[in-house]
Every structure is written in C-alpha cells, then in structure tokens.
Amino acid sequence: MPSLDQIPARHNDQVEANSDDEADPELVELLRQHLGLGGGKVKDAPPETKVLEGAQYVFDNAIDVAVSREFTKEAAETIWRLMQKKEYSTQTWSEHELHPQTKDESTVDFIFTMDLLNFSFWSAEEEAPKRFCIEYRGKLWTGYWSLVAALQRALDEDIPITTPDFWVDEERCTEEVLRHVFRSATDEEIPMFKERVQCLREAGEVLCEEFGGSFANCVDSANLSAAGLVNLLTENFSCFRDETIFHGRRVRLYKRAQILVADLWACFNGEDFGEFHDIDKITMFADYRIPQMLHQLNCIRYAPKLESHIRDLKPIEPGSNWEVELRGTSIWCVELIKREIERCHPEVKMSGKKPSPKATDDNDANDDNENEENKAIEKADDDNDTPRRTYGINAILIDFFLYDTMKNLEAEHNESIPHHRTRSIWY
C-alpha cells in the first residue's frame, strides 16, 4: 500500500447497491447455481458470516486508512503479555458489577436487550458533567455502562424491560415508560431515543411471531454455531443487518450481532447458552473505540485530511468511504494481531467450542523494544507483575481488552486522538 502522505483523502462517494456499473457477486453466484454452472456453495456447509472476508476487501481497497505491519507486531506482543498478566478471559466479563451474575434464560433475555440497544452513546457535550449518564445504586454510569445500568435499574423497579411481550404491548410499554427507563441524571437525554424504541418494537414482533417470544429459541435454532446465530440475527432482524456497499461490493460489519454472540459466550463461559463450536469465526466488533485504540498503538494510520477531520470532532456519515474504511480496516488489523499472537505463542490459540485455561510462558517481551503507545497500555494496567494463568486468545477477547484499555486511557485523559463521530444504530 502506498504511503498515506502521498494520497489526498477522497470524497465520501458511494456506489449504490442497485448500480448497473457492477454486478452483485452474490447475485451472480445464485445465478450460477441456478444454471448448474458449479462453483456454488456446498450443501449443508458450515455457516459463514463473511465479515472477515469483507474486512480484508476494505483493507485491500482503502485509501485513507492503512495498517502498519511493524507496529501491529509490536502491539500483538504487548497485548498478549498484558492479557496474560491480567488473566483476561471469559471470566472477566462477569466480573463487572453491572453484568448479570445469574446464568439462566432471563440472562439470555437481558443480553439480547442489551445488545439490541448497544449503540451510539457518545456525547457532543464538551463538559463531562453535562453528558448523558445513568444514576444507579449511588454511582453515575456513562457510555455502554449507562445502558446496562438503565436496564438493571428498570428491572429493580419491576419494569419488564427485557421481555419481548412487553415491548410490543404499546399500552403498557409506552414512550413515557421508556423515557422513564432511560432517564438521565443530567439534562442530556439518551441519544437516538426514537431509534431505540423502534428497535425494541421490531425485535419484539419478530421474537413473538417467529421464535415463541424468546431469544433463547433463536439461540437453539443456531445449533451451537456462532456464525449461524449471527446469520439468524441479520436475516430476521433488520436492526442487526449492519451492511453497506463499498466499491460496488456488499460489506458485512455486523457489530451488534457479533457482540451479542460474544456476550453470550463470555457470560456463560462457553457453556449452555454460550456454547458455540465455531466461536473463532467471530471478529472484532467494528465501532468507534477500537479504531481509536489501534491508532493510539500506531497500528492504523489515517490520511492527513481524515485525521484532521477526526481531531476537529467533525461528524463522519454512516456508510461513507471514510467510515467503512475505519471500521473494516480495524477488523482486519485485529485479525492480524490475533494471528501474530498465535504465531508467536501457539499455546494460546483458542480452537473448539469451550474455553480452557492455559499456563503462561512467562517469557515477557523485551521492554526496551516497546514504543510509547504500547507503554500507554501498560499505564492503564495495574502494577501487578505476577505471572498468572489465563484462557486462550481470540478476536473477541482482544476486542474486550482493547475497549477496556481505551476507556481507562480516556478516564486518564491520555488519548492520542479522539474517536471518530458517527451517529448510527450500528455501533
């Protein structure tokens, strides 16, 4: 890929999905199968989400976002070492006080509701005390945690906010009730309130009409396939169908559908409702925090015009070339990090449906080779240098780790760049 400094940022032009200029490759493939021309899918082949395939296509064709192989390799070693030290695993998910502690069907309903509404929490307010937040059990919660706190608070108030039957009953689940559920401790309301209500109504109808009013039935229909569950979500619920057109080709990003599967897997520790035999088909979840963290690590670089745009806090339109490049390239970059960790430390490779503990090698990277951005991660970590045991590593755990680390750096005001501003239901 040529140097970004030599290429000006291009306009955010999009090829329409129904453009006559290029044929949709999936339609061509369907036609080939219909005509018996071969090369089609094998009957009963394992489900595929095609997210990683699309991310590589975006990376290969991106102009304004690039990956640094050198810094990606350095970051991989640092991430591996810190995840070992922090004993980062599926158990980490349940350690947060707001995440559900029970492991039953009601938890499945909670996770579905949580990820159904898990989008767009950033605020344009410059002063933190003025931003939307939820007060729950004596604490103020912002961002993603504000949503989790709002759901827990509603359940404490005997509002069945995680029940699909409730969402479709507009006499009980009124807009007034929902505004009460998401009431803020500040004057700023939750972003995209109407879109969240629409997601609840639509998902409730689908669950009640197609899956007996329970998302657990949808999980059962996936037959222990993570990719299969992602596909069920995106095929049946339009509010999970996170797709776009990039250079004439459909690209699947599926942030919320994938993180829903990942949250089930992590919450149930790869068992019961969280048991998936192909969990490694889930990629990183393309949002606005992980690109920010990858830029902090120098793993991804922006063209000057794009970087200035982000630093000036200017909005980036959903589906624009810039936005797709940011998200798609981030997915591919995390994949490269994962592959580098597995290459250097094959003992942590996670294959199979159930996570299992592995001992660390205690062969830490040479600190003299770390760059300043990698040291920033260390600063956000605790000072415990005791080697620990940990589970394997996959894109899910790397994403969780990078997200948590970025939030810590933000709290310390140590970000090297703001996150990009895109207002969207997809993340």
Side-chain angles (χ1 to χ4, degrees), residues 147-212:
L147 170 65
V148 187
L151 297 180
Q152 295 285 19
R153 183 177 64 182
L155 293 176
D156 287 353
E157 295 172 348
D158 294 324
I159 300 173
I161 191 58
T162 61
T163 305
D165 286 344
F166 177 68
W167 305 338
V168 297
D169 187 346
E170 296 191 33
E171 292 186 2
R172 287 195 302 149
C173 184
T174 63
E175 184 172 308
E176 182 180 1
V177 168
L178 292 174
R179 288 194 182 278
H180 175 77
V181 168
F182 298 111
R183 67 190 183 276
S184 176
T186 69
D187 290 337
E188 185 178 45
E189 296 183 349
I190 189 170
M192 304 188 79
F193 173 78
K194 291 184 178 179
E195 287 82 356
R196 294 178 204 277
V197 174
Q198 185 177 347
C199 286
L200 284 171
R201 305 282 194 220
E202 179 209 318
E205 289 180 6
V206 174
L207 287 175
C208 291
E209 293 175 7
E210 304 294 334
F211 296 100

Side-chain angles (χ1 to χ4, degrees), residues 1-9 63-64 301 303-304:
M1 180 174 291
S3 169
L4 287 176
D5 296 332
Q6 299 173 0
I7 303 174
I63 293 177
D64 298 318
R301 299 172 56 222

